[in-house]
Amino acid sequence: MWFRQLSFYRLSGESLVDADKLLQALEKRPFQPCMGLDWFSEGWVPPAGHLEAPVYAARGSLMVSMRREDKVLPASVIRDFVEMKVQEIEDKELRKVGRKEKLALKEQITDDLLPRAFVRSGRTSAYLDIARGWLMVDSGSSSKAEALVSKLREALPPFPAALPRTQIAPHTAMTDWLAAGEAPGGFELDADCELKDGSENGAVVRCSRIDLTSDEIRQHIATGKQATKLGLIWNEKIRFQLTDTLQLKRIQFLDMLQDEASQAGDDRESLFEATFILMSEELGELVEALVEALGGVEDSQAQPAAPAPTQTQAPQSASSDAGSAVDVPWD
């Protein structure tokens, strides 16, 4: 359940979500398997397998998980079936099959094959950091992250979550950090980066397992190349790669954090709870520190977040600072 990628969104004041409303909204949109002539299916599933509700709450954060199934029907398979059918008609009726008839045959064959197609499934998890005002999505793909945000907007319109706009552009800050040979605050340079020439069809330099404070890196910067990806380590706890689109990729929670989570207990429920609380706290602090290092968000996004919503405890016993539930046990 440790996030490996991160796309994060700013939540404006009016978008802060009440846990009860979120639970009720997602319960109305559960995942249903891809059936019949559907090409894909999306819906909400429990974030953890040991519980059934589509939302998990702990210390002001609400975790959700969206599952998607896609039918896999290669164009080459459809084309082969169409060609076979065309050949059969031409041999039997001694005539040429026209373009319009071929298109109709393609639609008919696609409809016949679709219910028998293989299904590819995947899930995208996210959590709402209500106290800090962030939506954190476990994805380094903009399209997958936006798909999850769109489903949240369908469930709780208008849900105005927006990509953060920082005062300093990420590529400018990363380039400056490389030129200076150090990163600000609790960040330190790791050992990988990507540099691009700003001109059209410019050169791209990818560095791995290299000292980023070396003269070689500075020479690339001096010739006008800018950093588009940069490996960083935050507070000796989390290693990641920052991109010029303000996404975090290749996230690694270092041993000290994983050891701390594992000490919570041996059962699945305790481990999930401890891992989620630790991960959400550390990622929240990392994102806040990163945004500050980039000069903070633009004034239009700098409105303060509302306090975490009060959550109704389920009849089962639960500690006040651990995972909690709204009317039903959280996943």
Side-chain angles (χ1 to χ4, degrees):
M1 82 95 68
W2 297 98
F3 282 17
R4 299 302 179 191
Q5 318 281 346
L6 185 65
S7 299
F8 55 97
Y9 295 78
R10 192 63 172 164
L11 298 174
S12 59
E14 63 267 24
S15 69
L16 297 180
V17 178
D18 176 81
D20 291 290
K21 290 182 179 179
L22 179 64
L23 175 63
Q24 294 168 13
L26 300 195
E27 283 182 330
K28 296 176 182 177
R29 293 168 173 79
F31 171 77
Q32 300 292 340
C34 204
M35 304 293 290
L37 300 180
D38 295 330
W39 277 98
F40 72 94
S41 177
E42 291 178 330
W44 301 100
V45 295
H50 62 277
L51 296 172
E52 296 181 356
V55 184
Y56 183 88
R59 292 191 183 178
S61 294
L62 308 174
M63 187 176 187
V64 298
S65 188
M66 185 184 77
R67 182 176 175 183
R68 178 184 172 107
E69 282 188 353
D70 288 276
K71 293 283 184 66
V72 181
L73 189 55
S76 59
V77 173
I78 298 175
R79 184 173 61 249
D80 290 344
F81 273 86
V82 171
E83 290 176 355
M84 290 171 56
K85 187 63 176 177
V86 168
Q87 190 64 48
E88 178 185 334
I89 293 173
E90 291 181 343
D91 291 344
K92 184 177 181 180
E93 301 182 11
L94 301 177
R95 65 179 179 84
K96 292 292 290 182
V97 175
R99 181 175 179 276
K100 186 175 181 180
E101 188 175 356
K102 284 183 180 179
L103 291 175
L105 286 172
K106 181 179 179 181
E107 289 185 15
Q108 179 186 342
I109 288 171
T110 300
D111 289 346
D112 291 341
L113 293 176
L114 201 54
R116 295 180 281 157
F118 289 108
V119 174
R120 179 178 58 228
S121 65
R123 68 163 61 195
T124 305
S125 295
Y127 71 89
L128 289 78
D129 187 332
I130 304 297
R132 296 183 178 92
W134 297 106
L135 170 65
M136 311 287 210
V137 184
D138 183 14
S139 177
S141 165
S142 297
S143 59
K144 288 184 178 180
E146 285 293 339
L148 184 140
V149 174
S150 295
K151 295 297 287 186
L152 283 173
R153 289 194 180 108
E154 289 179 15
L156 288 170
F159 195 79
L163 291 171
R165 300 185 301 274
T166 54
Q167 300 284 355
I168 305 173
H171 70 270
T172 300
M174 292 189 293
T175 304
D176 289 345
W177 300 344
L178 284 174
E182 62 180 359
F187 297 96
E188 62 181 281
L189 300 178
D190 198 3
D192 60 285
C193 70
E194 179 181 274
L195 304 170
K196 284 187 179 181
D197 192 310
S199 62
E200 185 177 356
N201 299 320
V204 179
V205 178
R206 295 181 177 89
C207 304
S208 180
R209 296 188 295 276
I210 189 172
D211 180 5
L212 297 183
T213 65
S214 66
D215 290 338
E216 179 183 356
I217 298 296
R218 290 194 179 94
Q219 288 173 3
H220 284 300
I221 300 296
T223 60
K225 295 184 181 67
Q226 293 190 324
T228 53
K229 295 179 182 178
L230 178 62
L232 296 167
I233 300 174
W234 182 72
N235 278 352
E236 299 183 349
K237 296 179 180 180
I238 302 176
R239 171 180 281 118
F240 65 97
Q241 186 181 75
L242 176 64
T243 74
D244 57 351
T245 57
L246 201 52
Q247 292 175 313
L248 278 58
K249 299 189 175 184
R250 301 180 185 177
I251 298 174
Q252 296 179 14
F253 292 86
L254 302 182
D255 291 343
M256 61 181 297
L257 290 181
Q258 299 200 37
D259 291 344
E260 184 177 343
S262 65
Q263 295 173 5
D266 297 329
D267 61 288
R268 185 169 54 168
E269 293 83 353
S270 298
L271 182 59
F272 184 90
E273 179 183 281
T275 301
F276 175 61
I277 290 175
L278 187 60
M279 180 190 73
S280 59
E281 286 296 319
E282 295 296 338
L283 281 182
E285 292 180 10
L286 186 158
V287 166
E288 293 278 280
L290 180 60
V291 169
E292 181 179 354
L294 296 173
V297 294
E298 293 183 356
D299 293 341
S300 61
Q301 294 186 322
Q303 51 199 9
T310 303
Q311 297 159 4
T312 305
Q313 296 289 336
Q316 300 167 347
S317 61
S319 61
S320 60
D321 57 350
S324 61
V326 177
D327 297 330
V328 293
W330 295 103
D331 282 79

